[in-house]
Amino acid sequence: MKPLKQFWILILVFCLAFFPNFSEAKSAQGIKSPQKLRVDGELTDVRGYNIEGYNYYRLRDLAKALEGKVDFSVTGDSKTITMDRNGRYKSFKGDNIGGERERAIPKTMNIRVKGENPVDIIEETYNIRGFNYFQLRSMGEILGFSVDYDRSKNEALITTSSKSEGQTPVAPTPDTPKAPEIKGRVVLGNERLFTEYANLIDGKRVGLITNQTGVDASGVPVAEKLKAYPNTKLVALYSPEHGLDGKQPAGKYVKSYFDKKMNLPVYSLYGPTRKPSREMLQNVDILLFDMQDIGSRTYTYISTLQNAMVAAKENNIPIVVLDRPNPLGGTIVEGFLRETRFKSFVGIDKMPMAHGMTVGELGQFFNREIGADLTVVTMKNWTRNMVWQDTGLPFAQTSPNIPNLESAFLYMATGSGEQTGIGQSEYFHWVGGKNLNSNEYARRLNASGLPGVRFVPAPKGNRGGVRVKVTDWRSFNPARTGVYTLAVANQMRPINVPECKRPYSMFYLIQGSEQMANLFRARKSPEEIVKAYEKDVNLFKTQRQAYLLYK
């Protein structure tokens, strides 16, 4: 046994000597950067590492340099870093380490920021000697400080809000929507149901279409509130795609079942039927709908609403929509109108990709062709120029691939390339495909001047791509960005455009327009594509006006 053991040790030594990657993850070399760092004009002793042409800074060093200006504590493990704005940085023994040249290991980390303006995103970092290093601009976007560079002095310049508060404010450009005046948090429709609109449910047997997003501002499910409400009887629940808990994968059938905890049947509207059947509606006097949409024509919760309205009409049952904010606000309308022949569960009505309406407004819009007995319990304090960050409300995961608010914003920006060879990853934070040069892709997208967003080169295996970073939630246009991510990739190398024939492929059901396919085949610029659908956008804006509930 001893000679055999020695043999394998020799083999291992040989592999380590001649194949160093055999024993370690792919890494890069970090070289101590000569670039200096100033915070609000004051020179610090913080130095980063230059890794593959970019300067990266250690998070703990930044926390120390920003102390008293942008305070936060840092905790974490190998997968997640948590920064708490209510805490302060604490140094510890061995905090200052690192040589002139170090091995830098790329890592994908979950970044969570607690306190004011919470953040939950995925960030690409490098790990050196157990510490995580970040690009400075990324940290600025996450923590709210601005970054500039003085190339003549080779200095990175951080300006915090504490410094800028004493400076003359700069007027916003006309293209950037102004932040709304907040008069208190938004009051959801489901919060008004049990007070001002209790007459709708008093003395009635209620069926509720909902999922894990159907909660009030405190996170209490409306199903539980209805169950406890003494003046009504909750008799059935109805679940959409992803199920009542929102955990089922996209496209997977959801089964009906009996919920023992609630002592209620849960009927699936994403199984053998996607419309409540007559049997499902037995003993129901009124149907309620409470689910969170994310502002896209292709998101199936609004299709469930439309089908439920048809069923309510057919069975002479009133239906009530408990209204909720459109996370993107109410002003972005973008994309071709869906053609009649491409009607599907990911395109239930003739709308642009981004409709700019709340679910209550969509209910009114759908009802132009249905004629259901529809009531919308409206919100208080919501206006069209509000994005979700202005509402004062927590955001609940809407589906497995939309775990947070940033993913909801990026859904249309990276997720509309079905069957093109250009796809999303990292919960819609990344977009790319094979035979794409990541650096050139990022350069072209950044050069396009799209507001509120920047693109960071991020190859992924054998695919080139970019990571999408939102820098201004109000000016960012997800649907238009989605046109650019596809059209720019198409100009670099042809994307796949399926033939337009029955049964129509998912490409046409998502895009909703053969004209879009023809523009891709002709390899038109994103600007030409946007111009081509301007007529559709203006037509829809005029049409939807009669159904809007908020200014």
Side-chain angles (χ1 to χ4, degrees), residues 7 67-68 84 90 165 170 196 202 243 261 264 294 333-334 379 439-440 446 459 469 486-487:
F7 171 77
E67 200 168 7
D84 189 345
K90 292 181 180 179
E165 281 170 4
V170 179
E196 301 152 84
D202 281 348
K261 181 182 177 183
L264 291 171
I294 61 170
V333 179
E334 197 80 26
M379 297 174 282
N439 290 326
E440 179 63 11
N446 286 320
K469 306 276 189 178
L486 288 175

Side-chain angles (χ1 to χ4, degrees), residues 86 138 182 200 208 225 289 310 336 338 400 423 443-444 475 502:
N86 297 318
S138 294
I182 307 299
L200 293 173
L208 174 65
K225 294 173 76 170
F289 180 95
V310 171
F336 285 107
R338 190 224 71 202
R443 187 195 68 76
R444 292 192 187 200
S475 63
R502 293 179 181 274

Side-chain angles (χ1 to χ4, degrees), residues 438-456:
S438 300
N439 290 326
E440 179 63 11
Y441 192 29
R443 187 195 68 76
R444 292 192 187 200
L445 285 168
N446 286 320
S448 67
L450 286 166
V453 64
R454 72 180 181 90
F455 304 89
V456 180

Side-chain angles (χ1 to χ4, degrees), residues 16-28:
L16 292 175
F18 293 96
F19 304 100
N21 289 335
F22 178 80
S23 64
E24 58 188 39
K26 181 182 178 182
S27 62

Side-chain angles (χ1 to χ4, degrees), residues 104-383:
I105 303 171
K107 289 192 70 176
T108 300
M109 299 291 293
N110 296 313
I111 307 299
R112 291 175 183 161
V113 179
K114 294 181 178 180
E116 186 180 0
N117 300 319
V119 175
D120 189 352
I121 66 170
I122 297 170
E123 190 71 28
E124 293 303 308
T125 75
Y126 279 94
N127 190 280
I128 297 176
R129 292 198 181 191
F131 292 96
N132 292 298
Y133 285 72
F134 295 81
Q135 286 194 8
L136 196 57
R137 284 196 188 278
S138 294
M139 284 297 99
E141 291 163 10
I142 292 170
L143 293 169
F145 57 80
S146 63
V147 177
D148 206 348
Y149 294 97
D150 185 335
R151 296 190 183 279
S152 63
K153 296 180 180 179
N154 194 20
E155 293 181 347
L157 312 174
I158 289 178
T159 304
T160 68
S161 58
S162 61
K163 177 73 174 179
S164 59
E165 281 170 4
Q167 298 173 351
T168 304
V170 179
T173 62
D175 294 331
T176 303
K178 294 180 180 179
E181 292 184 19
I182 307 299
K183 300 179 181 178
R185 76 158 176 86
V186 169
V187 180
L188 295 166
N190 68 24
E191 296 174 292
R192 303 181 72 192
L193 177 65
F194 299 96
T195 53
E196 301 152 84
Y197 290 87
N199 63 296
L200 293 173
I201 57 173
D202 281 348
K204 294 176 181 170
R205 297 168 299 178
V206 174
L208 174 65
I209 304 167
T210 193
N211 62 3
Q212 81 289 347
T213 68
V215 295
D216 64 15
S218 299
V220 180
V222 69
E224 292 183 6
K225 294 173 76 170
L226 281 167
K227 188 77 173 173
Y229 184 62
N231 298 339
T232 193
K233 184 176 182 181
L234 181 62
V235 297
L237 299 174
Y238 306 86
S239 66
E241 183 181 11
H242 308 297
L244 194 64
D245 59 4
K247 294 181 179 179
Q248 294 297 315
K252 184 176 180 179
Y253 269 21
V254 177
K255 294 181 180 179
S256 298
Y257 65 99
F258 189 85
D259 189 307
K260 292 181 180 179
K261 181 182 177 183
M262 294 293 291
N263 195 32
L264 291 171
V266 180
Y267 295 111
S268 171
L269 301 181
Y270 200 78
T273 181
R274 296 187 180 182
K275 184 178 76 172
S277 65
R278 188 173 298 277
E279 291 72 27
M280 291 178 180
L281 295 172
Q282 281 183 347
N283 303 319
V284 172
D285 298 321
I286 190 167
L287 201 54
L288 304 185
F289 180 95
D290 186 27
M291 287 195 294
Q292 182 61 55
D293 178 44
I294 61 170
S296 171
R297 179 186 66 212
T298 63
Y299 210 61
T300 61
Y301 297 167
I302 63 174
S303 302
T304 297
L305 169 61
Q306 201 263 10
N307 284 353
M309 290 174 62
V310 171
K313 169 67 175 178
E314 292 172 347
N315 291 275
N316 298 312
I317 297 173
I319 184 166
V320 176
V321 177
L322 307 177
D323 211 7
R324 298 179 150 274
N326 182 325
L328 313 179
T331 61
I332 294 175
V333 179
E334 197 80 26
F336 285 107
L337 287 177
R338 190 224 71 202
E339 296 176 29
T340 301
R341 58 181 165 156
F342 298 137
K343 181 176 181 179
S344 73
F345 207 61
V346 291
I348 203 69
D349 209 332
K350 289 185 176 181
M351 301 184 294
M353 181 66 81
H355 49 70
M357 302 170 79
T358 68
V359 286
E361 292 173 332
L362 283 169
Q364 296 211 133
F365 179 74
F366 295 156
N367 211 31
R368 77 197 188 284
E369 295 181 348
I370 299 171
D373 182 358
L374 172 69
T375 301
V376 178
V377 178
T378 57
M379 297 174 282
K380 279 185 176 179
N381 300 330
W382 192 80
T383 58

